[in-house]
Amino acid sequence: MNKRWLSGLMLGVAVIAVVVFASTAGGSSSKSGGTLRVGSSSGIDSLNPYVAFNQDAYATFQYIYPILVQYDKTNLHFAPFFAKSWKASNGAKTWTFKTVANAKWTDGQPLTAEDAAWTINTDIKYQTGGAANVAGLIAHITRAEAPNPTTLIVHYKQAAGNVLGQFQQFFILPKHIWSKHTGHKGADLKTFANNAPVVGSGPFKLVKYQKNEIALFQKNNSYWGTKPQVDTFGLRIFSNDDAMISALKAHEIDALNAVPATAIKTLKNAGFTISNVPGLDQTDFIINSNPKKKKKHRELLNLKVKEAFAHAMDRAQIIDVVFLGTAKPASSIVPATTGSWHNPSLEPEKFDLALANKLLDQAGYKKGSDGIRVANGHKMSYDVVAPTDVQSIPRTFQIIQADFKKIGVQLRQKALDSTAAFDLMTSPSGKYLNFDLAMWDWVALIDPDFMLSVVTCAQWSGWNDSGYCNKKYDRMYAQQQLTPDQNKRRQLVRKMQKYLYDQRPYIWLANLNSVSAVSSKWTGFVNTPQGPFNEINITSLTGVHQK
């Protein structure tokens, strides 16, 4: 799945991280072998796929678990992974995958199509309980079977249009490990820690993990595909960008998965190789769109107010000041980087404070003597929930706050860690009653299904962070899932984007570039729209080696 950066960043990096990386970094001076040390300011929040949210967690699963398909080197088309081939039959209601033969899990047990069938059937059985986090990936599937070790057959209620896109995100779990953790009606799926060393079957095996500090990956010598050229790959988590940049310049680490815009010039001048490509990360301004939200600030449900807010966003200044030009204005829940899935007719709302003021005047919300507008007897003064681990938010908020003051709207930043922020936004008990506005970001995948799902009613208490629930939109979402003709599905997806553009549960701000950096001692470090350490394909780290 494609995840928001719900990063759990802790203050400081423990000494043990330095010790582990120092002890494993000696490596070989040859082209193969050695340890690649990568820095990240995101983090792995959990090694359990039924619990994890962070981007780095899902990138980890990409490298340690078998997945039926991945994207190719263009990042736009599906390519074989654990499935060598696939075909649809029975009116596209039956999909047959031929899987790799003689594969093994890292504990030596056989990996077969039965593991995939078991994972699918388990997720179907417990989709309203312990497997709720991945329920969207098995939507419309009735059952899966493995008639032999290299054949997986998946049966659908109706012909689906997003089969490969869903399976590109679907991590196959070892039946002999996870079948012991389905107790309490599947609730135990969420409580299994899945501690390192994790039993997997990807190009790397995760042998050491300390939350918010390090993750250490070793080459999996029993891997069924092309083996990595490095012996070890380490991910070191930093609490802030400055510490991460300092570590790279001091050669305590070799590469950065995501380079802050302020550091690009410095690192380039210091001899590091910088890759700057269009990315899938988009920042947003969230408006609580729950039709049953608290009575105090129901003016935020007024589409004219939302439109006014959209015209008060100075995206050009945000991109220039916050991202130093390494971003583009964003306009849709499906970013332009996804190619033809993006609706090209949607333009970012022009920055026009006069128009924003006019729209609020038309809504009947007049300015008081202090310059703050009054709506339904109260000031248009709001808290903006801001997770502390999205480091672009504070400066972006300052720009928005100053412009909103000019349209008679007062904003106050409410900084919380990501867990507390999401808890507040969904409170009480998943009813989305107690927040007004927020800022965050989403990191999309190429297939649009997941991003389109996060504003469905079904994702309340799940991925939904806006409280948006609209039955008409939900019907469109279901329709695009059940449209096998990809050209027709594309038109539906674009229609849905336009609908959300007008409804504005989100006001999209900036579509960030994916910028990575690597020491000149290494080559083959391939960037993607999600960075080299990603959940799109594995080639970015399996091919890296020392010069």
Side-chain angles (χ1 to χ4, degrees):
M1 291 183 180
N2 231 351
K3 319 301 142 282
R4 169 188 304 292
W5 281 16
L6 293 177
S7 315
L9 303 182
M10 304 293 285
L11 294 175
V13 178
V15 173
I16 190 166
V18 179
V19 173
V20 170
F21 276 86
S23 65
T24 60
S28 164
S29 60
S30 64
K31 288 189 176 182
S32 62
T35 296
L36 176 71
R37 305 162 299 174
V38 179
S40 173
S41 60
S42 179
I44 302 168
D45 58 323
S46 174
L47 295 178
N48 183 329
Y50 295 106
V51 176
F53 278 84
N54 285 14
Q55 185 67 29
D56 279 355
Y58 284 82
T60 294
F61 301 148
Q62 179 81 24
Y63 290 95
I64 68 172
Y65 281 124
I67 305 168
L68 289 175
V69 297
Q70 61 182 328
Y71 283 102
D72 64 9
K73 291 183 179 180
T74 70
N75 304 307
L76 291 174
H77 306 108
F78 294 110
F81 196 2
F82 182 54
K84 297 191 300 180
S85 64
W86 50 86
K87 65 178 181 179
S89 59
N90 187 29
K93 291 192 291 185
T94 301
W95 282 70
T96 302
F97 298 85
K98 299 301 291 185
T99 62
V100 172
N102 302 315
K104 293 182 181 294
W105 295 101
T106 51
D107 62 358
Q109 294 295 311
L111 160 62
T112 72
E114 172 59 27
D115 292 288
W118 178 86
T119 308
I120 293 168
N121 290 329
T122 298
D123 291 353
I124 293 171
K125 184 175 182 178
Y126 301 117
Q127 61 185 299
T128 60
N133 203 28
V134 297
L137 300 181
I138 45 85
H140 311 296
I141 299 177
T142 57
R143 62 187 174 90
E145 58 182 311
N148 61 60
T150 58
T151 303
L152 170 70
I153 302 176
V154 184
H155 301 275
Y156 287 81
K157 295 176 185 176
Q158 297 173 257
N162 60 342
V163 173
L164 296 181
Q166 299 301 69
F167 278 131
Q168 188 273 325
Q169 308 168 56
F170 189 84
F171 309 113
I172 299 167
L173 302 176
K175 176 181 177 180
H176 66 284
I177 298 294
W178 284 82
S179 60
K180 303 172 186 176
H181 303 282
T182 59
H184 298 94
K185 298 182 179 179
D188 289 359
L189 290 170
K190 282 182 170 288
T191 59
F192 177 41
N194 200 28
N195 290 326
V198 175
V199 175
S201 186
F204 291 97
K205 51 185 179 180
L206 182 62
V207 297
K208 188 175 184 65
Y209 163 70
Q210 289 180 295
K211 189 175 180 179
N212 302 315
E213 295 175 5
I214 61 162
L216 194 62
F217 303 78
Q218 287 182 356
K219 178 168 64 175
N220 179 10
N221 289 320
S222 64
Y223 175 53
W224 31 268
T226 302
K227 294 177 177 60
Q229 297 192 48
V230 295
D231 291 330
T232 314
F233 156 58
L235 189 73
R236 180 173 166 186
I237 312 304
F238 291 85
S239 61
N240 61 76
D241 288 344
D242 290 342
M244 185 171 65
I245 298 302
S246 296
L248 182 64
K249 292 170 68 176
H251 299 286
E252 295 173 11
I253 55 177
D254 304 302
L256 296 184
N257 195 53
V259 178
T262 53
I264 293 175
K265 184 176 181 180
T266 299
L267 293 179
K268 188 177 292 186
N269 291 340
F272 292 93
T273 301
I274 305 296
S275 173
N276 188 343
V277 301
L280 290 164
D281 186 4
Q282 295 196 130
T283 57
D284 55 23
F285 188 87
I286 307 167
I287 301 173
N288 186 347
S289 300
N290 174 16
K292 299 179 181 179
K293 76 185 295 291
K294 62 184 180 182
K295 296 180 180 180
K296 186 177 179 183
H297 290 148
R298 290 188 62 81
E299 70 276 4
L300 294 177
L301 298 174
N302 187 326
L303 294 183
K304 189 158 288 193
V305 170
K306 292 184 175 187
E307 184 182 358
F309 284 8
H311 285 292
M313 300 293 178
D314 191 346
R315 294 176 178 85
Q317 186 181 7
I318 291 170
I319 290 169
D320 183 52
V321 172
V322 181
F323 301 108
L324 301 182
T326 61
K328 294 180 177 64
S331 61
S332 170
I333 194 168
V334 178
T337 324
T338 62
S340 61
W341 292 114
H342 172 73
N343 187 337
S345 70
L346 301 181
E347 297 284 344
E349 298 90 347
K350 65 178 180 179
F351 176 57
D352 190 335
L353 294 180
L355 177 57
N357 272 303
K358 181 180 178 180
L359 289 167
L360 292 175
D361 287 341
Q362 290 175 351
Y365 306 138
K366 304 300 182 184
K367 290 182 180 179
S369 58
D370 58 359
I372 305 301
R373 293 181 184 273
V374 176
N376 305 319
H378 59 262
K379 292 184 177 182
M380 294 185 72
S381 179
Y382 314 104
D383 287 335
V384 180
V385 178
T388 54
D389 32 26
V390 181
Q391 301 201 17
S392 64
I393 285 181
R395 188 67 188 97
T396 303
F397 174 80
Q398 291 173 1
I399 294 170
I400 295 173
Q401 181 186 46
D403 287 324
F404 270 50
K405 185 176 181 181
K406 297 172 185 175
I407 64 170
V409 177
Q410 183 180 58
L411 301 180
R412 298 177 298 270
Q413 183 177 351
K414 189 176 183 65
L416 299 167
D417 70 61
S418 58
T419 301
F422 195 70
D423 287 347
L424 172 60
M425 292 162 69
T426 57
S427 68
S429 305
K431 296 179 180 177
Y432 300 84
L433 298 179
N434 295 331
F435 92 100
D436 291 316
L437 305 170
M439 296 174 65
W440 219 317
D441 72 337
W442 280 103
V443 183
L445 275 175
I446 303 300
D447 188 276
D449 185 84
F450 176 76
M451 284 308 304
L452 295 173
S453 78
V454 302
V455 282
T456 59
C457 302
Q459 284 299 329
W460 269 37
S461 297
W463 294 108
N464 194 316
D465 62 355
S466 64
Y468 187 76
C469 179
N470 181 303
K471 295 300 183 182
K472 180 178 179 180
Y473 176 83
D474 282 4
R475 287 192 293 271
M476 288 191 285
Y477 175 73
Q479 185 182 3
Q480 67 83 28
Q481 281 194 315
L482 297 172
T483 303
D485 184 313
Q486 295 301 291
N487 288 326
K488 291 181 179 179
R489 181 177 174 231
R490 189 172 290 107
Q491 295 309 309
L492 284 169
V493 166
R494 291 182 177 185
K495 180 181 177 182
M496 293 169 70
Q497 291 173 65
K498 177 62 166 66
Y499 192 81
L500 292 175
Y501 181 91
D502 294 335
Q503 294 277 303
R504 292 188 176 90
Y506 299 109
I507 297 172
W508 295 98
L509 303 176
N511 181 190
L512 282 58
N513 288 3
S514 173
V515 185
S516 68
V518 65
S519 165
S520 58
K521 297 178 181 179
W522 293 87
T523 188
F525 192 65
V526 181
N527 201 358
T528 77
Q530 280 189 4
F533 186 57
N534 66 85
E535 57 171 315
I536 296 177
N537 65 60
I538 60 170
T539 58
S540 53
L541 287 182
T542 53
V544 65
H545 59 83
Q546 298 178 72
K547 289 183 178 179

